[in-house]
Amino acid sequence: MAPAILETPNRARILARLRSRPTARGAAIALVILIAAALFAPFLAPHDPYDLAALSIFDNRLAPGTQSMDGPVYWLGTDSQGRDMLSAILYGLRISLVVGLSATAAAATIGTLMGLLAAYVGGAVETAIMRLVDFILGFPTILVALILLSATGRGVDKVILAIVIVQWAQYARIMRGTVLVEARKEYVEAARNFAIPGWRIMLVHLLPNALAPILVVATVQVASAIMLESTLSFLGVGVPITEPSLGLLIASGFEYLLSGEYWISFFPGLALVVLVFSINLVGDRLRESIDPRRR
């Protein structure tokens, strides 16, 4: 039974559409490579950028391809602290992906449940939840995140919390609209006639049928979360300097751009652009593939 359930016509159609687009395939391959590089960073990185005792001030700001005094070659150069940029980028990818995926998963879970509750229960519950959603969405995302981090301090966990607080409202609004449409269909009315409990109707019947737009938005929001974390780290209120993300690596070389030492900011910036572009492209193609109007 399992293969028959997994290989549904709709899923096969979506996968076929994704495979038929060269840009989607290329973005997916690039994304897989970046995720694999982040996962295996301890094995791929030539040096440990967190090991301060192994850093040498004599190796600071070396150009790409320069050989250090101890022998190894820094293929992407070094930063102002003498860290190998290739190693720092691999570890920075890990921080950015952990923040993006964790924050998106938590925000999607909270927003989905809140939107589902608001649409099904209605009344004062719906009014309270949606007014809170309107309040959160009424402020610029970066401003809310800056205020939260100014109050709580720097740290990976605090950045994730700030992103969750500013992102969950988008999922709640989308989920509410989707559930309101699904709740009018015959299978929901049949479930109510059979006296099935409301919580079971919400979680077993409505939730699976309303998840498609949430999954598409979550894919794109991973890129938004990574960009928001990078922006906060660039401004100096994100992750601590001992756990540099891509945004913090870009910030560390910003002051050297005009002096010709471009590689300190350029290579982390290039990795960030490729990561965000790949996620956005895969998410956009996924949205097109599951759109029922594009059959």
Side-chain angles (χ1 to χ4, degrees), residues 4 11 16 19 26 62 66 70 93 129 171 176 183 188 191 225 230 234 237 248 251 282 295:
R11 184 174 290 108
R19 295 192 191 102
L62 295 180
T66 302
D70 299 330
L93 277 171
I129 292 176
Y171 297 99
R176 172 182 171 271
V188 177
S230 298
F234 183 85
V237 295
L248 196 59
V282 170
R295 292 184 182 275

Side-chain angles (χ1 to χ4, degrees), residues 240 274 284:
V274 173
D284 187 58

Side-chain angles (χ1 to χ4, degrees), residues 43-253:
F43 306 100
L44 298 176
H47 305 91
D48 184 359
Y50 300 153
D51 186 5
L52 300 181
L55 300 181
S56 174
I57 193 65
F58 297 104
D59 291 335
N60 69 325
R61 292 186 284 167
L62 295 180
T66 302
Q67 186 174 12
S68 70
M69 298 178 62
D70 299 330
V73 177
Y74 296 117
W75 296 107
L76 298 184
T78 61
D79 64 2
S80 59
Q81 302 179 35
R83 287 182 301 199
D84 174 48
M85 290 306 303
L86 176 59
S87 303
I89 289 172
L90 291 175
Y91 277 86
L93 277 171
R94 300 185 85 189
I95 300 295
S96 296
L97 283 170
V98 166
V99 171
L101 293 174
S102 301
T104 300
T109 301
I110 295 172
T112 296
L113 294 177
M114 296 293 280
L116 180 61
L117 183 66
Y120 188 80
V121 176
V125 174
E126 180 183 18
T127 300
I129 292 176
M130 298 316 297
R131 293 299 76 76
L132 179 60
V133 167
D134 293 338
F135 177 78
I136 293 176
L137 295 179
F139 291 92
T141 301
I142 185 67
L143 177 61
V144 176
L146 283 172
I147 294 174
L148 292 172
L149 288 173
S150 299
T152 60
R154 301 173 68 174
V156 174
D157 56 339
K158 297 179 178 62
V159 172
I160 293 175
L161 177 62
I163 296 175
V164 169
I165 291 174
V166 300
Q167 280 193 349
W168 74 268
Q170 301 180 42
Y171 297 99
R173 173 171 286 181
I174 294 171
M175 191 65 179
R176 172 182 171 271
T178 306
V179 171
L180 286 176
V181 174
E182 290 291 325
R184 301 190 186 101
K185 295 184 178 179
E186 290 81 1
Y187 71 90
V188 177
E189 186 64 29
R192 288 170 176 163
N193 292 335
F194 279 105
I196 296 177
W199 65 268
R200 185 175 177 83
I201 295 176
M202 285 192 294
L203 298 180
V204 178
H205 298 279
L206 285 172
L207 181 60
N209 289 287
L211 272 182
I214 294 295
L215 295 177
V216 175
V217 172
T219 304
V220 178
Q221 286 296 94
V222 171
S224 298
I226 292 174
M227 284 299 299
L228 180 57
E229 178 277 323
S230 298
T231 303
L232 294 171
S233 297
F234 183 85
L235 295 175
V237 295
V239 298
I241 195 171
T242 54
E243 299 178 277
S245 67
L246 294 177
L248 196 59
L249 292 174
I250 296 172
S252 66

